[in-house]
């Protein structure tokens, strides 16, 4: 199974670039930029990753972000993740980034964009890895701030495929951002939003995503299983869910493997991703292996998860078809039948 997962052509659709900041790199950047950190060794930093819910995770995540200052920092952050992804057999990435977490510290929007974009170009040229960016608004900031950042993205429109919504969900429903997401849609951006697992009013949030915002995808969204109508709507509209099992284990103490399996059986376009792999200590292959080792997922189920990922990717149809063909050819080597 390790060999099968390692060689499987993969798409990652839910990874926060800032969540790929490895402890060693965090310490090196802190030193280079003269930023004091409470923890002085990678081991001590990792020991501090003892989150038990979304707010406690976000506290650690935003603390790490402070070391990212220069264009080179952003380049290194993204390129190191792309190197790791490519060596894990990922062929296509849609990566989130959180501009408001940087502009609030005085980092110009273009510094961040230029660093990340240069890493994307180099990853394409050197690693053969294709990627797109999703600009995430922080839902615990104001709708006005989101609108200002959407405006800042205009000169970089060609470098960004869609917009998302992340950070602390409590009392920050999708409806708060209806105008800015409508404007983003009018500018041709694809739309997605986090509906983190077991959040307050989560079913209302998922409904708002579908009916008010009219998202193209939902990040997490696993609680949809509590409502048959929601499940039917997701299937009928072909809306994909980007699930992150190891992340779920940190914030809701469960790998959520039963839910993932149920969604597969219902025909929901569910996918498996890493979320914040440096913090959860698991990249995409470790997430897939956790489902195999701990919940007995079969090659057929894993292949279906990856088929879903390429199908819901924000790529032109011809590119998707090429990746899906690559996946089929790989699956044929293992005599994998279709999942049903
Ligand atoms: N920002 C980074 N990771 C996140 C997550 N898993 N949920 C919400 N906001 C995030
Ligand atoms: Zn996320």
């Amino acid at each position: 199974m390790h060999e099968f997962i390692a060689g499987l052509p993969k798409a990652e659709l839910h990874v926060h670039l800032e969540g790929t900041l490895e402890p060693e790199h965090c310490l090196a950047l802190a030193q280079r930029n003269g930023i004091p950190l409470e923890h002085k060794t990678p081991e001590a930093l990792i020991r501090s990753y003892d989150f038990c819910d979304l707010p406690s995770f976000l506290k650690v995540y935003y603390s790490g972000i402070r070391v990212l200052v220069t264009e080179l920092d952003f380049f290194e952050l993204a390129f190191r993740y792309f190197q790791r992804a490519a060596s894990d057999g990922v062929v296509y990435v849609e990566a989130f980034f959180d501009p408001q977490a940087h502009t609030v510290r005085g980092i110009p929007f273009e510094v961040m964009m230029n660093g990340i974009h240069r890493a994307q170009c180099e990853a394409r040229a050197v690693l053969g890895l294709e990627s797109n960016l999703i600009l995430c608004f922080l839902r615990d900031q104001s709708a006005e701030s989101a609108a200002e950042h959407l405006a800042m993205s205009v000169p970089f429109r060609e470098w960004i495929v869609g917009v998302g919504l992340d950070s602390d969900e409590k009392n920050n429903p999708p409806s708060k951002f209806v105008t800015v997401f409508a404007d983003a849609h009018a500018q041709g951006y694809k739309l997605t939003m986090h509906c983190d697992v077991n959040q307050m009013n989560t079913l209302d949030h998922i409904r708002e995503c579908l009916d008010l915002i009219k998202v193209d995808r939902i990040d997490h969204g696993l609680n949809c299983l509590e409502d048959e109508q929601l499940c039917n709507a997701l299937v009928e509209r072909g809306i994909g869910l980007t699930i992150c099992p190891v992340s779920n284990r940190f914030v809701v103490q469960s790998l959520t493997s039963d839910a993932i399996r149920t969604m597969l059986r219902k025909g929901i376009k569910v996918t498996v991703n890493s979320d914040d792999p440096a913090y959860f200590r698991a990249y995409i292959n470790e997430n897939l292996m956790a489902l195999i080792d701990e919940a007995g997922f079969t090659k057929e189920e894993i292949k279906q998860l990856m088929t879903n990922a390429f199908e819901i990717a924000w790529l032109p149809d011809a590119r998707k078809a090429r990746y899906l063909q690559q996946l089929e050819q790989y699956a044929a080597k293992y005599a994998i039948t279709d999942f049903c």
Side-chain angles (χ1 to χ4, degrees):
M1 273 303 208
H2 274 101
E3 187 195 287
F4 168 70
I5 292 298
L8 182 73
K10 288 172 285 284
E12 164 114 88
L13 305 180
H14 184 159
V15 58
H16 301 260
L17 280 179
E18 294 89 343
T20 70
L21 181 63
E22 287 288 339
E24 293 79 4
H25 194 206
C26 181
L27 290 164
L29 292 183
Q31 188 165 36
R32 187 159 88 192
N33 294 322
I35 293 170
L37 286 185
E38 189 185 336
H39 304 285
K40 308 290 179 220
T41 64
E43 295 74 26
L45 262 182
I46 292 171
R47 272 197 299 279
S48 74
Y49 300 170
D50 65 344
F51 4 87
C52 56
D53 55 16
L54 184 57
S56 59
F57 162 70
L58 290 170
K59 202 165 155 236
V60 175
Y61 170 84
Y62 288 122
S63 171
I65 280 180
R66 292 175 302 133
V67 304
L68 296 164
V69 178
T70 66
E71 186 186 313
L72 178 64
D73 300 344
F74 286 97
F75 168 81
E76 285 180 0
L77 174 76
F79 193 68
R80 284 174 186 223
Y81 164 67
F82 292 142
Q83 279 178 314
R84 171 65 196 255
S87 73
D88 280 350
V90 175
V91 293
Y92 177 65
V93 177
E94 282 170 15
F96 296 122
F97 66 110
D98 285 336
Q100 287 155 294
H102 309 299
T103 55
V104 73
R105 299 177 293 116
I107 315 292
F109 194 90
E110 61 270 23
V111 164
M112 174 187 53
M113 283 312 308
N114 289 334
I116 297 173
H117 183 69
R118 189 158 64 83
Q120 287 183 278
C121 295
E122 201 146 320
R124 184 76 192 248
V126 178
L127 308 169
L129 177 70
E130 182 175 11
S131 62
N132 271 311
L133 294 179
I134 304 172
L135 185 165
C136 260
F137 303 116
L138 302 184
R139 65 199 309 157
D140 42 6
Q141 304 293 312
S142 67
E144 291 71 28
S145 171
E148 281 163 23
H149 285 76
L150 181 65
M152 285 181 213
S153 79
V154 170
F156 305 95
R157 177 65 194 85
E158 294 306 310
W159 296 358
I160 302 169
V161 70
V163 297
L165 188 69
D166 64 0
S167 204
D168 196 356
E169 195 164 331
K170 193 171 177 195
N171 298 325
N172 294 303
S175 53
K176 176 175 163 185
F177 297 94
V178 65
T179 306
V180 69
F181 273 72
D183 289 348
H185 175 70
Q187 291 175 33
Y189 285 112
K190 294 284 191 182
L191 309 182
T192 187
M193 286 184 160
H194 276 56
C195 291
D196 269 90
V197 186
N198 294 356
Q199 297 298 297
M200 204 168 87
N201 302 327
T202 184
L203 293 183
D204 291 337
H205 291 187
I206 299 173
R207 278 186 206 106
E208 285 181 15
C209 277
L210 291 180
D211 299 333
L212 188 63
I213 309 292
K214 302 201 185 321
V215 293
D216 298 286
R217 287 207 302 249
I218 295 178
D219 302 306
H220 302 289
L222 188 133
N223 293 90
C224 68
L225 286 174
E226 294 159 26
D227 184 312
E228 193 63 31
Q229 275 185 347
L230 273 182
C231 291
N232 294 340
L234 289 168
V235 174
E236 276 160 26
R237 299 182 207 178
I239 306 271
L241 300 189
T242 62
I243 306 289
C244 310
V246 177
S247 160
N248 291 344
R249 181 150 64 192
F250 269 91
V251 297
V252 297
Q253 292 74 49
S254 164
L255 202 57
T256 64
S257 50
D258 288 347
I260 295 170
R261 198 167 246 147
T262 305
M263 289 191 275
L264 276 175
R265 301 259 182 283
K266 284 182 179 292
I268 297 174
K269 291 209 179 296
V270 58
T271 66
V272 163
N273 308 270
S274 68
D275 210 359
D276 300 284
Y279 290 95
F280 301 130
R281 314 306 296 152
Y283 285 78
I284 191 166
N285 287 357
E286 286 84 27
N287 274 271
L288 292 167
M289 281 313 300
L291 293 177
I292 291 166
D293 290 341
E294 296 173 45
F297 269 52
T298 63
K299 291 194 185 81
E300 283 73 18
E301 287 172 317
I302 299 290
K303 182 197 163 203
Q304 186 62 49
L305 289 166
M306 217 39 76
T307 302
N308 291 347
F310 287 115
E311 283 180 354
I312 66 166
W314 292 339
L315 281 169
D317 286 345
R319 301 277 316 141
K320 285 193 209 192
R322 228 200 59 190
Y323 285 126
L324 285 164
Q325 189 188 25
Q326 200 182 337
L327 181 63
E328 287 301 331
Q329 280 167 356
Y330 183 78
K333 285 198 279 188
Y334 284 85
I336 298 176
T337 51
D338 271 346
F339 170 86
C340 59

